[in-house]
Amino acid sequence: MAEAKPDQMGYYEREKLARVDYAPPRTDWMDTPVDMRPGSYIYPAKEKHLEYLGFPNPRAWSPTDDDWQLPDDWQERIHAGMKERLGKYRSFQIFMDVCVRCGACADKCHFFIGGGDPKNMPVLRAELLRSIYRHDFTLAGKILGRLAGARPLTKDVVKEWFYYFYQCTECRRCSVFCPYGIDTAEITMMGRELLHLVGCNVNWILEPVANCTRTGNHLGIQPHGLKDTLEFFADDIEEATGVRVDIPINKKGAEILFVTPSGDFLADPGTYTCMGYMVLFHELGLDYTWSSYASDGGNFGLFTSHDKMRDLNAKIYAEAKRLGVKWILGGECGHMWRVLHQYMDTMNGPAPANLEVPRSPITGTVFEHARATKMIHIAEFTADLIKHGKLRLDPSRNDAVRATFHDSCNPARAMGMFEEPRFVLRHVCNEFHDMPEGTIRENTFCCGGGAGLGTDENMEMRLRGGLPRGNAVRYVQHRYGVNRLVAMCAIDRATLQTVCEYWAPGVEVSGIHELVANAMILKGEKERELNLRLQPLSGESADEG
C-alpha cells in the first residue's frame, strides 16, 4: 500500500474526528469522572497574573494533577459565593429553578454535536451547577438528595466545573431553543466566577485581563506600539492604493472616538480589516480619533466576572469624556458588542454628558437606538453610507472572492444584527451565498473558540466545536465555489481560519471592511492592481500573472 500524502492524512484525520460517538456512558452522569485528556482543556492561569489582579489562591498547578491545591476553606468560599450571586442576580436564581430538563437544547450545542459528550448538552452542563444549588439551597435537595437531582460539592465536582465551563463559548445558541428563555451563557459565567473564588482559572483569559487592566488592551501593547503598528498599516495601504492615510491618536475635540478589538492590530486576517477602517475613514474625511488608552474594545472580563467586565469597559467612557468626543464608533468585534449592547448602559452608564446621540456627519442619519450608550457598530455605519450613495464602489475588484457570511454569535444573537453586514457585502462583492438556514442568523453556529477558548492547547475541542460551522462552510464551498468566509468578529476571524483549514480547506477568512476598502474607488488613488493583502486584485498569484 502506497504511503499516504500529508493532505490525505489530513483527510483521514478529519474523517476520524467527524465520526462522533453519541452513545452515553454506561454510568450515571453523577458517577462519570472527568477525563482530562490533552487537547480538551486549557492551561491554568499563571501566578503572576492572579497576583496582579488580586485574585485568590495564586499557585502553580495543572489540571492533570490529583491535588489542585484548593484553599482549606474552598467549600465555604463556593457556598458563600453562590449565595451572594443568587441574591445579587435575579436571573441566576430563576435559571436555577425553572429548568424542567425538557431537552430542547440538548442537541443545539456545537461541542455536543462535534464531540458527543452528554455533559456538553446545555441542559446537563447547567445541571453540573444546578445539582449543587439543589443540595445546598433547596429543601427538596437537602431532604431527598440525589432523588431530587442534588449532590454534595466535592473536589471532583470542581474539576468537572473547570472542564465543562471552559468548553462553553457562551454563544447562547441553546437559549434560542429554550422554551423558558434560560441563558446558559449566564450559568457558565456564574460557574466561572465561583471557580475564580478558589483559584481555578485559565491563562488564555486571565493574561489578557491583566494586560488590559495594565495597558488598556489585551495584548499589552504600549502607546508607541499602537502608533507604530498603525503606521505600518498606513505603509501597506499606500503601497496598495497610492494614498497615504492619516492616523489621529488621542486627538482632543474629535467628533468620534473609534474603538476596535486589539485582535485587529496584530492578528491576521484582522489586520486587513483594520486597514479597511483606516481607508474608509480617510476617504470620508471623518473627524475621528484612536485612543492609546481605550485601544481595545474587546472585553475578556465577559469571560471572567461581571465586576471585571464592568471595570475593563469603563475605559471607553473615560476616554470619550477625556477627549471630548461627541459619540463612539465601534469596530468588528463579537464579545465587545455583547458587553456594549446588553451591559454597558447599566454597568457603566449613564454616558458622559459630552456625548450625544450618534449622528452620521456624512449622511445625517441619527442612530436613535444608540440614544443610551452613544455608541454604534461600524457595520450599520457603513451600511448607511452605502444606502445613501456616499461611497464609490467597484465590486469587480473583489471578483476573486466568492463570499459567504458567518453571523458572529454576539452581534447576531445578542444584537439582532443580521441584514446590515449582508447589505454591505452584496454591494462590495459580485458573488455572495448564504450558508443553509438553521446555521445562520439567530441560529448561527459558533466558531468554537469564543469566550476565551481560542487557544492551541485545547485544539481537539476547538475542532470538534467548529465542526457544525465547518460543515456549513463546506456545503457552500462545494455547491457554489465559495472561497471566502467573512466574519465581523476578531475572535471569529482568528479561530475560523483553523476551522476552515481543517473542515473546509481552500476557504480563507476575512472581515467585512477589508472587502469594503478593496472595492472603494479612492480620491487620488493610483491604478489599482493590489488588494490590502498586497495580492493581485485578480486573485492570480504574481507567478501566474
Side-chain angles (χ1 to χ4, degrees):
M1 179 177 176
E3 183 177 346
K5 296 179 181 179
D7 60 332
Q8 291 176 321
M9 289 299 292
Y11 172 78
Y12 293 131
E13 289 299 317
R14 285 192 296 275
E15 289 294 291
K16 181 179 178 181
L17 207 61
R19 289 196 294 269
V20 182
D21 182 8
Y22 294 105
R26 295 181 180 274
T27 53
D28 184 87
W29 73 267
M30 289 190 186
D31 301 321
T32 305
V34 170
D35 178 18
M36 290 282 182
R37 68 181 189 276
S40 61
Y41 63 85
I42 306 177
Y43 297 150
K46 296 178 181 177
E47 294 174 80
K48 63 180 181 180
H49 301 313
L50 296 184
E51 290 171 351
Y52 177 78
L53 293 169
F55 276 36
N57 199 23
R59 70 210 183 282
W61 64 288
S62 170
T64 57
D65 294 341
D66 290 333
D67 182 5
W68 282 18
Q69 305 173 52
L70 300 179
D72 293 338
D73 61 344
W74 65 272
Q75 287 173 308
E76 291 81 0
R77 292 190 189 192
I78 290 177
H79 181 91
M82 185 176 287
K83 182 178 180 180
E84 177 191 351
R85 285 158 180 78
L86 287 167
K88 187 176 182 180
Y89 303 112
R90 183 170 179 266
S91 59
F92 184 34
Q93 177 78 63
I94 292 173
F95 295 158
M96 289 293 97
D97 286 333
V98 303
C99 177
V100 296
R101 291 178 279 187
C102 67
C105 65
D107 60 347
K108 305 305 185 293
C109 177
H110 46 284
F111 286 117
F112 174 69
I113 295 171
D117 188 336
K119 292 183 185 178
N120 272 327
M121 293 180 179
V123 59
L124 189 44
R125 190 189 292 116
E127 283 294 304
L128 305 181
L129 187 59
R130 193 176 284 117
S131 58
I132 305 304
Y133 163 76
R134 291 196 188 102
H135 185 275
D136 290 357
F137 296 93
T138 70
L139 182 61
K142 290 176 180 178
I143 296 174
L144 299 175
R146 190 162 177 148
L147 290 175
R151 61 175 177 164
L153 179 62
T154 66
K155 291 182 178 179
D156 285 339
V157 169
V158 172
K159 293 181 179 182
E160 194 176 52
W161 284 2
F162 179 87
Y163 189 73
Y164 289 104
F165 287 140
Y166 287 103
Q167 286 182 17
C168 172
T169 53
E170 302 178 14
C171 80
R172 305 165 77 231
R173 187 174 193 265
C174 52
S175 301
V176 173
F177 299 90
C178 177
Y180 294 94
I182 294 172
D183 189 341
T184 306
E186 292 219 0
I187 296 175
T188 293
M189 292 163 70
M190 292 297 105
R192 291 184 181 186
E193 287 196 24
L194 296 176
L195 287 169
H196 291 317
L197 299 176
V198 295
C200 295
N201 0 62
V202 299
N203 199 65
W204 187 248
I205 294 176
L206 267 293
E207 182 171 347
V209 169
N211 285 339
C212 199
T213 302
R214 184 168 52 250
T215 67
N217 62 76
H218 293 124
L219 299 173
I221 302 171
Q222 300 291 338
H224 62 276
L226 171 66
K227 181 176 182 294
D228 289 346
T229 299
L230 296 179
E231 287 179 349
F232 290 145
F233 292 169
D235 292 340
D236 284 352
I237 291 169
E238 187 172 16
E239 182 175 350
T241 68
V243 176
R244 185 72 188 182
V245 302
D246 55 342
I247 309 170
I249 301 177
N250 297 331
K251 177 184 173 184
K252 287 194 173 185
E255 180 177 359
I256 301 165
L257 170 63
F258 179 66
V259 183
T260 197
S262 55
D264 286 349
F265 303 149
L266 290 181
D268 292 344
T271 51
Y272 309 117
T273 302
C274 191
M275 292 163 63
Y277 306 146
M278 296 166 68
V279 170
L280 175 67
F281 299 160
H282 179 85
E283 179 66 13
L284 295 173
L286 204 65
D287 181 16
Y288 84 105
T289 185
W290 302 79
S291 163
S292 62
Y293 172 62
S295 56
D296 196 337
N299 194 327
F300 272 48
L302 176 63
F303 316 141
T304 309
S305 71
H306 288 75
D307 291 341
K308 187 53 65 176
M309 172 172 53
R310 177 200 62 219
D311 294 345
L312 296 186
N313 198 60
K315 66 182 182 293
I316 298 178
Y317 274 164
E319 277 298 84
K321 181 178 181 180
R322 183 181 74 87
L323 296 174
V325 301
K326 292 182 178 180
W327 56 278
I328 311 167
L329 179 63
E332 298 181 24
C333 184
H335 60 288
M336 163 181 163
W337 279 103
R338 187 179 182 204
V339 173
L340 299 175
H341 188 69
Q342 296 195 324
Y343 295 103
M344 187 175 191
D345 191 28
T346 51
M347 285 192 317
N348 304 111
N354 58 291
L355 293 182
E356 304 171 359
V357 179
R359 177 184 181 276
S360 172
I362 312 301
T363 67
T365 297
V366 178
F367 297 91
E368 288 287 349
H369 64 282
R371 177 168 291 277
T373 62
K374 310 297 191 291
M375 186 165 184
I376 66 168
H377 194 291
I378 193 167
E380 55 190 330
F381 178 74
T382 302
D384 178 65
L385 292 170
I386 294 173
K387 178 182 177 181
H388 288 88
K390 299 300 183 181
L391 298 181
R392 294 190 300 160
L393 300 170
D394 179 2
S396 70
R397 292 179 173 183
N398 284 316
D399 275 354
V401 174
R402 293 181 291 279
T404 191
F405 181 67
H406 167 72
D407 289 277
S408 300
C409 297
N410 286 308
R413 270 189 287 271
M415 294 184 71
M417 186 171 288
F418 306 129
E419 301 310 323
E420 292 90 341
R422 288 176 170 83
F423 178 83
V424 173
L425 287 172
R426 288 190 172 103
H427 282 81
V428 300
C429 295
N430 282 322
E431 192 165 352
F432 172 81
H433 304 277
D434 252 327
M435 287 178 277
E437 291 295 330
T439 74
I440 57 175
R441 293 183 170 85
E442 62 271 0
N443 294 330
T444 185
F445 279 112
C446 183
C447 66
L453 274 61
T455 183
D456 291 343
E457 61 262 26
N458 65 331
M459 186 57 74
E460 179 188 332
M461 189 52 57
R462 278 179 53 193
L463 292 173
R464 288 187 180 279
L467 169 60
R469 173 45 78 224
N471 190 48
V473 174
R474 193 169 178 83
Y475 173 82
V476 290
Q477 180 189 30
H478 285 182
R479 182 164 184 177
Y480 303 113
V482 162
N483 59 12
R484 184 68 61 90
L485 177 61
V486 183
M488 57 179 186
C489 170
I491 287 179
D492 285 340
R493 286 192 292 271
T495 58
L496 284 172
Q497 286 193 114
T498 303
V499 169
C500 288
E501 287 170 6
Y502 196 83
W503 294 115
V507 177
E508 293 186 313
V509 178
S510 72
I512 298 171
H513 281 79
E514 174 187 345
L515 301 182
V516 170
N518 285 341
M520 287 178 63
I521 302 172
L522 309 177
K523 296 186 289 286
E525 69 175 17
K526 67 180 183 181
E527 184 177 352
R528 293 286 296 278
E529 297 178 350
L530 301 176
N531 60 29
L532 291 183
R533 302 188 184 201
L534 301 183
Q535 299 169 340
L537 282 173
S538 64
E540 300 176 344
S541 69
D543 293 337
E544 293 172 58

